[in-house]
Amino acid sequence: MHILSRHTLPLLLAPLLLLPSCSETKHLAEGETLYTGIEDISWDGAPKRYKRGGAEPDSAGVITSIAGAIDAVGNVLDGITAGGTSDGTPATNGGSQPLTPEAEDSLRRQADADLEAFATAREEVEAVLAYAPNNALFGSSSVRTPLPFGLWSYNALVNHRHGLRKWMFKTFAANPVYVSSVAPETRARVATNTLRNYGFFSGRVKATVLPQKNPRKARVAYDIYAGPLHRLDGITYRGFIDSADSLVRATRHKSTLRTGDAFSVVNLSDEQTRLEALFRENGYYYYTAAHTTFLADTLQRPGRVQLVVMPKTDRPANTRHPWYIGRVYVTMRRSVNDILDRQSGRGYIRYTYSGEKIPLRQGMWRRAIAHERGELFRLSDSRATLQQLGAMGVFSQMDVSYVPQDTTATCDSLDVYISATLDKPYDSSFEMNATLKSNQQVGPGMTYSLAKRNAFRGGEKVAWKLFGSYEWQLHTSGSGKSSLFNSYELGTELSLEFPRPIIPFFNQRRLRRSYTQATTTFALSGDWKNRANFFQMVTIGADVTYKWSRYSNARHELKPLSLEFDKLIHKTTAFDSIMTANPALYMSMRDQFIPSLSYTFTYASAAGHRNPVWLQVHLKEAGNVLSGFYAATGQGFNQRDKDLLGSPFAQFVKATVEGHQTFRIHSGLHIATRLFAGVVYSYGNSTTAPYSEQFYVGGANSVRAFTVRTVGPGTFRSQGGRYAYIDQTGDVKLEANAELRAHLMGSLHGAIFLDAGNVWLLRHDAMRPGGRLTADNLKNVAVGTGFGLRYDMDFLVLRFDVGIGLHAPYDTGKSGFYNLRKFNDALALHFAIGYPF
């Protein structure tokens, strides 16, 4: 090792020391210039925010607003009345009176709308102009790292085509980015068209190439003039046949085009898409977005667009009438090379397949195919069919097509052809991971899963999972003792999933139109935990889960039956002493049944929403149905010490609500917010909820200035110790988070955050004074701020947050809002994957 450090290491470092003497431009292609990034993007003529009193009458009595309120100018030119403009918009009285509050508010709203439209256009334009140079910092178009190893390697090794230097060139060199490949003039023209596509018809973009001190290097500057924003004025639908025109009129309120909105090709495209969906939902199978066109007139009124929406006159004849469903032909293959030799059918559905038995039972096809013979073709039925077939998870390939029954001009029926190939019947996976826990335990974990698709020819999936982990102590205990084999866990789960709701006494076909995707899962599980020197526990569970959704942004999950049984099969004296000192831990670790029922509703805004909302409501109860059976036999519903098969069972109700909303300020700046509220109430057979059902705060996704389970309940402060964190849970939780998220450069994002929250108890606990929820105690919350960096790789987000405590809810011996005694004590560092909310 000594010889390696003295002689080999300098040889390895020598290339790194010599590279800085290399040139970035020595061996560039003849006549080419190295592109070193964007120098500047300057904007002129952009809309401005409205300021009170910013509109003054001119000499002709026409209102001129510094907010660029073109609507007001056009309305005044059309004629002013004593009470307002010709179209009812408030104005000055002949230009001699100040603006009314209503007029001020109208101008302010218009200026805000202009700014919003401009922000969208600016984002698109700058995306067109963006182009990263060599050694860009996090993908930035303007900032480079100071050590361009790739370019140095290219210029030093580009002429070496053999041996080690050839390998080094392929490994380390980066091809230079030339100004010619960036094509600034072409980008400027595309950006100009982008401005006009968003209503800035006078917009223009100019590109300037700026040579650097080294004439073979250059940066690019873009000067952009936005100009006034054009708005939609008159909107007319013309040229549709009677039946289609009736559909358009009936759904006009859903149009994406509205008088006064900024002209935008995005809205035009959205309207084309809306009309396509509307017509295809009502039988016009062949009508597409491209069959709708627009006529725009910008000459009638300055700054205004008169728009006509109409179908193309040369569209095919098959787009001019509705279509109906005929027969359905299903072709199934177990593999791509299967020879089809069997046919069967029932009603209007015909099946072609190979083998003695049909690979997927006919009943599954009838349930999945939403179309009915003789009914209008509906886009929703087509989508439901695809979703139902895809949700089965048994096909590797699938295609659905619609073909006219014949070639005559009077044909109005479509036959449905479905071709599907089954996926491989078995699927297996093996995972390994390593854990490092706060209790100084470290060790590996493994999971193996095996699943069989289409197990009983009904789309069912049988899955079996085996998992285990092994942990040992990093440090010896205070007694100086440690064991080589500390702790381990072994568990298994067997589940059977049906791609449909299994509900007795309900008509499945009638239920089909009430959802788009639905599954039913039956599961059995077992888990064996061994914690050396403490205990051995066996957990057995069984549950039934229904999942369904009618709309893509709303999902439901119902567990009408979930039964879990925890059994301590061995415990030590040390464990018994811990149970005595921690009643909450005892209640969670004792032998007990947890029979529960739960429901979860999740809502998420549609993709593309400006300020998206995510909401989840979870309700759960345990032990009430079982207590009801006891009550039927004469025992009180709230009587304690009831048991099931000799063991007590938990009895509680639990509810949580969590909501997120992100507010978009502009393309690179957002405010993300989160609110969480939860309560669990134990009664009857239990005085404390199982430990896994209680709440806690702190950690990377909670109040980040505090580590996990170090706050609460209420003003209680644990006196420390190895298991102190066990006490810091509660029955009630309130938490709020806000983040200002900013795009820094490339894939790097930053955030400044503020977190607050705490947990409380619903009952007095002498072991945790100050933990009970009262009106006075509700104000005692942990508050923290901080900052963080996030590297977003699209498929993975790496996050580093620094939490800074501002206020602890417990007595620290220091008065005032900022009551942390030492700044170091107020810091918490978190490395995590994904955003906190």
Side-chain angles (χ1 to χ4, degrees):
M1 293 298 291
H2 180 66
I3 294 175
L4 179 63
S5 63
R6 289 186 56 189
H7 300 286
T8 308
L9 188 58
L11 292 175
L12 294 175
L13 293 177
L16 298 179
L17 298 175
L18 292 174
L19 275 177
S21 63
C22 297
S23 168
E24 293 182 82
T25 59
K26 184 177 181 180
H27 292 293
L28 297 182
E30 186 68 26
E32 294 288 0
T33 303
L34 181 68
Y35 169 73
T36 58
I38 295 176
E39 180 69 20
D40 182 46
I41 298 178
S42 62
W43 287 84
D44 187 25
K48 300 182 183 299
R49 190 169 300 281
Y50 178 77
K51 296 181 180 179
R52 185 175 180 85
E56 300 290 346
D58 63 12
S59 58
V62 178
I63 299 173
T64 305
S65 171
I66 64 171
I70 300 172
D71 283 345
V73 176
N75 291 334
V76 170
L77 292 175
D78 283 346
I80 303 175
T81 65
T85 62
S86 59
D87 63 354
T89 303
T92 61
N93 186 4
S96 61
Q97 299 294 328
L99 292 175
T100 65
E102 292 79 7
E104 289 264 3
D105 186 59
S106 176
L107 291 175
R108 184 180 297 106
R109 287 197 306 270
Q110 181 173 291
D112 290 344
D114 286 355
L115 286 171
E116 183 177 345
F118 172 72
T120 302
R122 180 170 184 163
E123 179 180 354
E124 295 296 327
V125 167
E126 293 186 352
V128 169
L129 301 179
Y131 201 98
N134 289 103
N135 57 289
L137 181 63
F138 299 111
S140 170
S141 296
S142 57
V143 182
R144 304 174 68 202
T145 59
L147 300 176
F149 290 108
L151 277 177
W152 286 341
S153 300
Y154 175 88
N155 284 278
L157 304 170
V158 67
N159 293 324
H160 297 278
R161 302 297 184 185
H162 303 285
L164 177 62
R165 293 184 177 182
K166 179 181 179 181
W167 173 84
M168 292 178 65
F169 179 82
K170 289 184 176 180
T171 305
F172 300 109
N175 291 325
V177 178
Y178 296 125
V179 171
S180 61
S181 62
V182 177
E185 293 295 336
T186 300
R187 288 182 180 276
R189 287 194 293 271
V190 174
T192 298
N193 289 334
T194 302
L195 274 174
R196 294 170 181 173
N197 287 341
Y198 283 90
F200 295 92
F201 293 160
S202 302
R204 57 183 180 271
V205 181
K206 179 183 177 182
T208 304
V209 178
L210 306 174
Q212 303 298 289
K213 184 177 181 180
N214 181 343
R216 301 211 67 185
K217 293 182 180 180
R219 292 174 71 81
V220 179
Y222 295 98
D223 297 302
I224 306 173
Y225 173 75
L229 176 64
H230 284 64
R231 295 184 171 279
L232 295 177
D233 192 11
I235 304 172
T236 306
Y237 290 80
R238 183 187 305 163
F240 295 95
I241 61 174
D242 290 345
S243 56
D245 186 66
S246 297
L247 294 173
V248 171
R249 291 178 181 276
T251 60
R252 182 69 183 269
H253 62 285
K254 297 181 180 180
S255 173
T256 63
L257 305 174
R258 292 179 175 83
T259 299
D261 283 357
F263 179 89
S264 168
V265 292
V266 174
N267 290 342
L268 299 185
S269 177
D270 289 345
E271 183 64 5
Q272 287 179 313
T273 303
R274 185 188 76 85
L275 291 177
E276 174 187 333
L278 172 66
F279 293 142
R280 298 194 74 198
E281 182 64 18
N282 289 274
Y284 293 84
Y285 170 73
Y286 289 100
Y287 196 97
T288 66
H291 293 132
T292 300
T293 189
F294 304 94
L295 295 177
D297 183 356
T298 61
L299 301 178
Q300 289 189 31
R301 294 182 63 189
R304 293 290 190 166
V305 179
Q306 311 298 322
L307 191 68
V308 177
V309 185
M310 57 188 296
K312 288 184 176 179
T313 56
D314 60 346
R315 68 188 188 281
N318 58 11
T319 66
R320 300 171 185 263
H321 65 83
W323 291 82
Y324 299 85
I325 297 297
R327 290 184 173 274
V328 178
Y329 297 91
V330 177
T331 301
M332 283 174 284
R333 290 180 170 85
R334 290 183 171 85
S335 65
V336 176
N337 298 322
D338 257 8
I339 298 176
L340 304 178
D341 56 4
R342 296 294 180 95
Q343 288 189 343
S344 63
R346 180 179 177 182
Y348 62 95
I349 305 179
R350 305 295 299 176
Y351 306 93
T352 304
Y353 53 93
S354 63
E356 294 184 1
K357 294 183 177 180
I358 188 169
L360 186 66
R361 294 197 301 269
Q362 295 184 19
M364 296 302 301
W365 289 101
R366 289 195 299 271
R367 277 189 287 267
I369 297 172
H371 296 296
E372 296 282 356
R373 187 176 187 180
E375 290 186 352
L376 278 173
F377 168 86
R378 297 193 184 279
L379 182 61
S380 59
D381 288 342
S382 178
R383 290 173 175 170
T385 299
L386 288 170
Q387 289 173 344
Q388 292 285 2
L389 292 174
M392 293 183 193
V394 300
F395 301 116
S396 62
Q397 299 178 22
M398 183 173 59
D399 177 69
V400 179
S401 59
Y402 300 84
V403 180
Q405 280 189 338
D406 56 58
T407 58
T408 63
T410 57
C411 178
D412 64 354
S413 295
L414 297 169
D415 285 342
V416 184
Y417 288 81
I418 302 176
S419 177
T421 302
L422 293 180
D423 204 345
K424 294 179 181 179
Y426 291 96
D427 183 27
S428 64
S429 65
F430 181 74
E431 300 177 4
M432 294 188 66
N433 59 71
T435 59
L436 174 61
K437 298 182 179 180
S438 60
N439 59 1
Q440 303 293 327
Q441 295 278 334
V442 63
M446 294 178 290
T447 301
Y448 174 75
S449 60
L450 177 66
K452 183 178 182 181
R453 302 184 182 91
N454 199 32
F456 310 112
R457 296 187 302 114
E460 307 89 351
K461 181 170 72 174
V462 178
W464 174 67
K465 180 168 68 175
L466 179 68
F467 56 90
S469 64
Y470 166 67
E471 300 173 352
W472 62 86
Q473 197 77 29
L474 280 174
H475 304 290
T476 57
S477 63
S479 62
K481 298 181 179 180
S482 64
S483 59
L484 177 64
F485 193 73
N486 292 121
S487 303
Y488 57 86
E489 180 178 357
L490 184 65
T492 186
E493 181 182 82
L494 180 65
S495 64
L496 173 60
E497 179 183 295
F498 294 88
R500 58 189 182 277
I502 306 297
I503 305 177
F505 312 115
F506 276 79
N507 184 287
Q508 297 295 319
R509 197 164 187 83
R510 183 174 299 176
L511 283 173
R512 187 185 64 189
R513 292 188 180 273
S514 300
Y515 57 83
T516 56
Q517 295 183 23
T519 61
T520 304
T521 303
F522 301 91
L524 297 173
S525 62
D527 185 67
W528 177 28
K529 298 183 182 73
N530 178 79
R531 296 294 180 259
N533 302 322
F534 290 107
F535 68 88
Q536 290 185 17
M537 173 182 281
V538 171
T539 301
I540 300 174
D543 60 67
V544 180
T545 305
Y546 295 103
K547 296 180 180 180
W548 73 96
S549 62
R550 185 173 185 180
Y551 306 103
S552 60
N553 59 346
R555 297 187 177 277
H556 308 263
E557 178 179 315
L558 175 66
K559 286 189 175 183
L561 174 62
S562 179
L563 182 62
E564 183 178 298
F565 175 61
D566 297 333
K567 175 69 175 177
L568 281 169
I569 58 177
H570 175 72
K571 55 185 178 178
T572 65
T573 304
F575 180 73
D576 285 336
S577 65
I578 294 173
M579 295 298 99
T580 303
N582 296 271
L585 182 59
Y586 166 73
M587 293 297 295
S588 67
M589 301 293 289
R590 66 176 182 172
D591 296 349
Q592 63 179 327
F593 279 96
I594 308 177
S596 64
L597 180 153
S598 65
Y599 167 77
T600 303
F601 169 77
T602 305
Y603 168 84
S605 298
H609 197 284
R610 179 178 175 83
N611 300 316
V613 173
W614 182 90
L615 176 68
Q616 186 173 85
V617 178
H618 176 72
L619 304 174
K620 185 174 185 178
E621 69 82 25
N624 294 300
V625 175
L626 197 55
S627 290
F629 283 114
Y630 272 94
T633 61
Q635 299 187 44
F637 184 82
N638 292 321
Q639 178 181 328
R640 295 185 180 180
D641 301 322
K642 298 188 292 290
D643 62 73
L644 177 63
L645 302 178
S647 296
F649 58 87
Q651 188 173 1
F652 64 85
V653 291
K654 182 179 182 179
T656 64
V657 178
E658 182 175 1
H660 306 168
Q661 184 165 17
T662 301
F663 299 91
R664 181 180 183 271
I665 300 175
H666 60 72
S667 59
L669 193 64
H670 299 77
I671 296 177
T673 59
R674 170 182 175 264
L675 291 173
F676 180 94
V679 59
V680 56
Y681 177 67
S682 301
Y683 58 95
N685 216 42
S686 299
T687 57
T688 304
Y691 191 71
S692 60
E693 300 294 341
Q694 297 179 30
F695 301 106
Y696 64 89
V697 297
N701 300 319
S702 181
V703 182
R704 283 160 283 185
F706 299 85
T707 55
V708 64
R709 292 188 179 90
T710 57
V711 176
T715 60
F716 170 74
R717 185 180 187 182
S718 175
Q719 298 305 311
R722 187 176 177 184
Y723 295 93
Y725 70 94
I726 294 176
D727 293 327
Q728 302 198 247
T729 59
D731 305 318
V732 178
K733 177 179 177 178
L734 294 175
E735 191 171 273
N737 313 83
E739 280 194 351
L740 178 64
R741 297 174 178 172
H743 176 246
L744 301 180
M745 59 183 69
S747 300
L748 185 66
H749 301 255
I752 300 174
F753 54 81
L754 181 67
D755 305 321
N758 203 352
V759 294
W760 294 267
L761 302 174
L762 290 177
R763 294 183 175 91
H764 174 71
D765 186 346
M767 301 295 293
R768 292 181 284 180
R772 187 177 182 182
L773 178 65
T774 63
D776 291 336
N777 203 7
L778 187 61
K779 64 184 179 182
N780 296 307
V781 296
V783 181
T785 185
F787 58 90
L789 294 174
R790 292 84 193 276
Y791 190 69
D792 191 343
M793 297 180 286
D794 292 334
F795 65 92
L796 182 69
V797 176
L798 302 178
R799 174 164 58 97
F800 172 65
D801 286 337
V802 178
I804 304 172
L806 297 178
H807 180 78
Y810 46 80
D811 182 16
T812 64
K814 184 178 180 181
S815 60
F817 177 77
Y818 183 78
N819 61 351
L820 282 302
R821 297 184 63 86
K822 297 180 181 179
F823 183 74
N824 288 343
D825 295 339
L827 290 179
L829 306 181
H830 303 282
F831 294 92
I833 295 177
Y835 287 100
F837 51 88

